[in-house]
Amino acid sequence: MSNKEWPLWEVFIRSKQGLNHKHVGSLRAADSKMAVENARDVYTRRSEGISIWVVESNNVFASDPSEADSLFEPADSKAYRHPLFYDVPDGISHM
Amino acid sequence: MKDLNIQELERRFQEKIDNDIKIEPRDWMPEEYRQTLIRQISQHAHSEIVGMLPEGNWITRAPNLRRKAVLLAKVQDEAGHGLYLYSAVETLGADREQTIDDLHTGKAKYSSIFNYPTTSWADMGAIGWLVDGAAIMNQVPLCRCSYGPYARAMVRVCKEESFHQRQGFEIISLLAQGTPEQKEMAQDALNRFWWPALMMFGPNDAESPNTLQSMKWKIKRLTNDELRQQFVDVTVPQAHMIGLTIPDKDLKFNEETGHYDFGVIDWAEFWEVVKGNGPCNKERVDARRKAKEDGQWVRDAAMAYAEKRKIQKAS
């Protein structure tokens, strides 16, 4: 008797060929094989997917939402990365 | 950010809610918001799981193979809905096994509708039509709930739920158009499930002290009475259409308000069932507890096997 709880897994589904896997939720399973089978039963009962990834939740490392401002600040302060930063003279096309 | 005092954190939290920005699991949230959600989502999860029992009762006795396949698919969906919701509750830091044990000890509640027995096949129609219909009424606004994982689970649930209501309506309308005995079965099921279905929306607004705070936090978007009225307004014409009579002598369309006025709900009965004295409370919780206990060796064996494999792989 191990009496241990099954670990938690995060489930990612590719809904169709050409799209990326997207997080859909989580579930409990004893191992990766069972996690994939359970994910099929829980998250794809109506043909929502053609491919499943499962990752044990304790292997997911996440950014801290309370530090989001400083973490993402470099992106906010660089408007010149966006095309609209630049003026294109009238008469110039295909740019 | 870490140095902010609690008032400032609460102010920012409410500001996000007011601007319809969803709250995600690792965001700061007031403890009462977290506890309210844990209670509401786990009770919702329990309702899905306990809700499998009255219908599971009829899987082996469905009148034909089509009905049996449909009912089986519906009950499987309910299990899935329970799992989406237990997952959502875990994102709040609640212990899944603990929430399930709270159901088994009677500490946690579930929808009181599932404490009524299903005595005839027509009840499968009444449940799909009325109980799932009321659940949809409740759940559609929850798709816009401020807590992201709950809202996302509700979107999935609502997508699946509409087939549940239609299969129920199909069962009951077919019976209603059948022989006099079959019509009588349909009417009898409606008579028994109508009032409990209205009770599913919970106490009147005046008796529901938590509603105000839940609305402020956008956990709840409409009040119990608003949802109940919506349900009555859409369901009464459906009953008329299939020739059944709503068991309420006070039911009357009010030309002035554009809504149906309906009779007084027997709240004494509601509170008795909530307190555990409904016709099937004990049977339902016993069945859940037995399922967990009887399955313990399977879960243990699966875990032991997984651990053994891990060790074999490592060596």
Side-chain angles (χ1 to χ4, degrees):
Chain A
M1 289 278 273
S2 62
N3 240 339
K4 263 170 69 179
E5 250 185 76
W6 290 352
L8 190 65
W9 301 77
E10 299 302 323
V11 180
F12 300 81
I13 305 278
R14 185 200 296 285
S15 58
K16 63 176 196 183
Q17 210 70 9
L19 295 180
N20 44 9
H21 286 78
K22 195 174 157 198
H23 184 245
V24 292
S26 57
L27 50 76
R28 295 269 173 183
D31 58 24
S32 56
K33 186 164 176 273
M34 189 195 283
V36 168
E37 283 167 2
N38 287 359
R40 184 214 38 201
D41 291 342
V42 178
Y43 292 106
T44 66
R45 285 195 305 283
R46 286 176 177 74
S47 317
E48 290 94 337
I50 53 148
S51 166
I52 298 170
W53 285 355
V54 292
V55 179
E56 229 185 295
S57 306
N58 59 20
N59 286 326
V60 175
F61 299 89
S63 62
D64 181 348
S66 72
E67 287 169 1
D69 287 352
S70 59
L71 188 64
F72 298 110
E73 187 278 333
D76 291 339
S77 61
K78 293 176 181 62
Y80 47 83
R81 282 180 168 154
H82 299 278
L84 288 177
F85 180 76
Y86 304 92
D87 287 328
V88 176
D90 289 345
I92 299 285
S93 54
H94 303 297
M95 186 178 281
Chain B
M1 182 92 189
K2 291 214 167 64
D3 311 323
L4 292 175
N5 62 32
I6 190 107
Q7 283 87 357
E8 179 57 16
L9 286 167
E10 276 176 3
R11 194 193 60 75
R12 287 187 183 191
F13 173 81
Q14 190 61 47
E15 194 176 80
K16 269 164 97 175
I17 302 255
D18 294 342
N19 290 322
D20 281 326
I21 296 173
K22 297 278 185 216
I23 307 302
E24 294 296 341
R26 287 160 50 88
D27 294 343
W28 186 89
M29 62 186 84
E31 196 47 33
E32 306 89 273
Y33 177 82
R34 185 186 301 275
Q35 292 310 326
T36 301
L37 280 170
I38 289 176
R39 197 183 59 239
Q40 180 171 336
I41 303 173
S42 63
Q43 290 185 4
H44 196 159
H46 301 332
S47 301
E48 300 285 354
I49 299 296
V50 176
M52 296 161 77
L53 296 168
E55 290 182 300
N57 184 36
W58 282 90
I59 290 174
T60 56
R61 286 174 270 173
N64 59 47
L65 193 56
R66 177 180 182 273
R67 297 279 177 223
K68 183 172 176 151
V70 169
L71 188 59
L72 205 52
K74 178 186 190 291
V75 172
Q76 191 192 9
D77 272 353
E78 307 298 359
H81 297 175
L83 289 172
Y84 304 153
L85 289 161
Y86 284 125
S87 293
V89 96
E90 278 194 287
T91 65
L92 290 157
D95 183 307
R96 181 188 299 223
E97 291 307 308
Q98 185 60 51
T99 61
I100 292 170
D101 290 340
D102 285 348
L103 168 70
H104 296 175
T105 57
K107 191 178 155 209
K109 303 290 177 211
Y110 53 89
S111 185
S112 55
I113 191 84
F114 302 119
N115 290 315
Y116 291 87
T118 45
T119 52
S120 90
W121 171 252
D123 293 2
M124 296 304 97
I127 287 182
W129 175 37
L130 301 174
V131 177
D132 290 84
I136 291 170
M137 243 2 138
N138 249 324
Q139 289 169 161
V140 166
L142 286 173
C143 295
R144 295 185 295 127
C145 162
S146 61
Y147 187 59
Y150 193 25
R152 292 192 286 273
M154 281 302 105
V155 171
R156 303 182 67 88
V157 167
C158 285
K159 263 189 208 158
E160 299 179 354
E161 203 86 62
S162 58
F163 125 66
H164 298 179
Q165 193 185 17
R166 286 182 184 201
Q167 64 86 34
F169 188 70
E170 187 186 70
I171 290 171
I172 202 148
S173 55
L174 210 68
L175 286 170
Q177 289 151 26
T179 63
E181 290 82 5
Q182 287 171 325
K183 185 168 182 185
E184 180 50 40
M185 273 172 74
Q187 183 63 51
D188 169 62
L190 173 59
N191 291 349
R192 282 179 292 110
F193 278 95
W194 175 254
W195 290 105
L198 294 194
M199 293 176 198
M200 282 176 69
F201 297 95
N204 287 129
D205 294 348
E207 312 294 323
S208 178
N210 300 327
T211 293
L212 202 66
Q213 183 60 69
S214 281
M215 303 267 290
K216 194 171 164 236
W217 279 332
K218 295 188 183 168
I219 293 174
K220 230 171 154 161
R221 295 286 192 150
L222 295 166
T223 71
N224 296 352
D225 286 332
E226 285 169 342
L227 290 164
R228 189 165 16 242
Q229 185 67 55
Q230 268 187 17
F231 176 75
V232 171
D233 288 344
V234 304
T235 311
V236 170
Q238 294 168 355
H240 291 163
M241 194 82 84
I242 57 174
L244 296 181
T245 310
I246 302 283
D248 177 358
K249 60 178 174 30
D250 298 319
L251 185 79
K252 193 171 179 286
F253 189 72
N254 185 328
E255 297 284 351
E256 239 167 74
T257 60
H259 297 288
Y260 280 93
D261 294 334
F262 53 94
V264 180
I265 292 170
D266 182 355
W267 291 112
E269 174 184 322
F270 172 76
W271 288 115
E272 273 306 298
V273 180
V274 169
K275 270 189 275 175
N277 303 323
C280 300
N281 294 59
K282 191 178 173 320
E283 188 183 328
R284 301 293 186 237
V285 174
D286 284 351
R288 289 311 313 153
R289 200 183 300 125
K290 184 174 182 317
K292 184 171 178 181
E293 285 165 8
D294 290 356
Q296 184 67 47
W297 71 271
V298 180
R299 293 193 299 280
D300 288 343
M303 196 68 241
Y305 176 71
E307 280 171 351
K308 199 172 92 185
R309 289 266 305 225
K310 220 187 264 175
I311 294 165
Q312 280 172 351
K313 236 181 176 175
S315 62

